[in-house]
Amino acid sequence: MKGSRTYSYLNFATNILVVIVGTALIGLLVYRTFFEKLNPVEAPLLKAGDSFKGVQEINFSKSRNTVLLALDTTCSYCDLSIPFYKKIIAKSNQNPGTRVIALFDNSRAEVEDYLREHELDVEFITNAGLVMTKVDMTPTIILIDTNRIITTSYEGVLQEKQEQDLFEVLEKKASAQ
């Protein structure tokens, strides 16, 4: 009788441990899936001062500043950022020295439907090979000068302060030239 009581305690303790570890793993998965990407950080693969090697068909000398929006038609974080992208496009229309280009890994038909649905009037490139451009996730915003040098880059949904900072950078670059 005493042996079965010890077995019952061990079995109970093992079950509790399994529940705790399982809950921790599920919590980590939920955090990484839904919350981690909401915190924008400088894209580690796209460092300021580096030469932008991707998408050779873009002629960066056409404008002083190029804003690349790396997007995906199925990205919910991209959808959350649509109002901000519209602001960037509106500001670039007021400043001929700034150009906005959206990069997608999706097909041309998917991209055209996406841009029409979200009413984004922007130059775009499909099948951009985002991995080859060192874009680690969508959305990613990359500012590039006329010499293909990365000024700054951000991954994820930008908070209001980061949006303001980005506009300040664009305005400073536009007024300096």
Side-chain angles (χ1 to χ4, degrees):
M1 186 84 172
K2 193 172 184 182
S4 69
R5 190 174 204 179
T6 304
Y7 175 77
S8 293
Y9 287 137
L10 285 174
N11 191 25
F12 179 74
T14 303
N15 287 339
I16 294 296
L17 184 60
V18 167
V19 168
I20 291 170
V21 170
T23 303
L25 289 173
I26 289 171
L28 180 63
L29 177 66
V30 167
Y31 173 77
R32 285 190 171 190
T33 302
F34 296 106
F35 300 105
E36 191 172 56
K37 294 177 184 173
L38 287 176
N39 299 323
V41 295
E42 183 165 352
L45 299 174
L46 300 165
K47 294 187 175 92
D50 287 352
S51 178
F52 183 73
K53 307 264 188 253
V55 195
Q56 296 302 314
E57 60 263 31
I58 298 175
N59 181 357
F60 288 98
S61 64
K62 279 185 164 182
S63 61
R64 289 183 291 249
N65 301 302
T66 301
V67 179
L68 295 182
L69 305 174
L71 308 173
D72 188 284
T73 61
T74 61
C75 170
S76 60
Y77 299 111
C78 298
D79 293 347
L80 286 172
S81 299
I82 293 292
F84 177 58
Y85 302 148
K86 287 182 178 182
K87 290 179 189 174
I88 292 174
I89 293 166
K91 291 257 188 205
S92 73
N93 289 339
Q94 296 170 357
N95 180 359
T98 301
R99 177 176 169 203
V100 180
I101 302 174
L103 306 177
F104 291 87
D105 262 348
N106 309 94
S107 72
R108 184 171 190 85
E110 290 173 315
V111 171
E112 288 174 346
D113 289 345
Y114 182 84
L115 295 176
R116 186 174 29 259
E117 175 186 341
H118 294 289
E119 299 176 346
L120 290 173
D121 184 24
V122 64
E123 289 181 63
F124 64 91
I125 295 177
T126 61
N127 301 313
L130 295 181
V131 172
M132 298 300 291
T133 63
K134 295 187 178 182
V135 170
D136 195 29
M137 65 177 283
T138 57
T140 295
I141 299 174
I142 312 162
L143 274 62
I144 302 174
D145 70 11
T146 57
N147 299 315
R148 300 184 77 90
I149 302 299
I150 298 171
T151 305
T152 190
S153 63
Y154 294 95
E155 290 181 333
V157 177
L158 271 61
Q159 302 302 316
E160 188 174 331
K161 174 70 173 129
Q162 283 107 0
E163 290 178 0
Q164 291 171 353
D165 291 345
L166 189 65
F167 284 128
E168 286 176 16
V169 168
L170 287 172
E171 287 178 27
K172 283 180 186 175
K173 290 176 80 51
S175 64
Q177 297 176 4

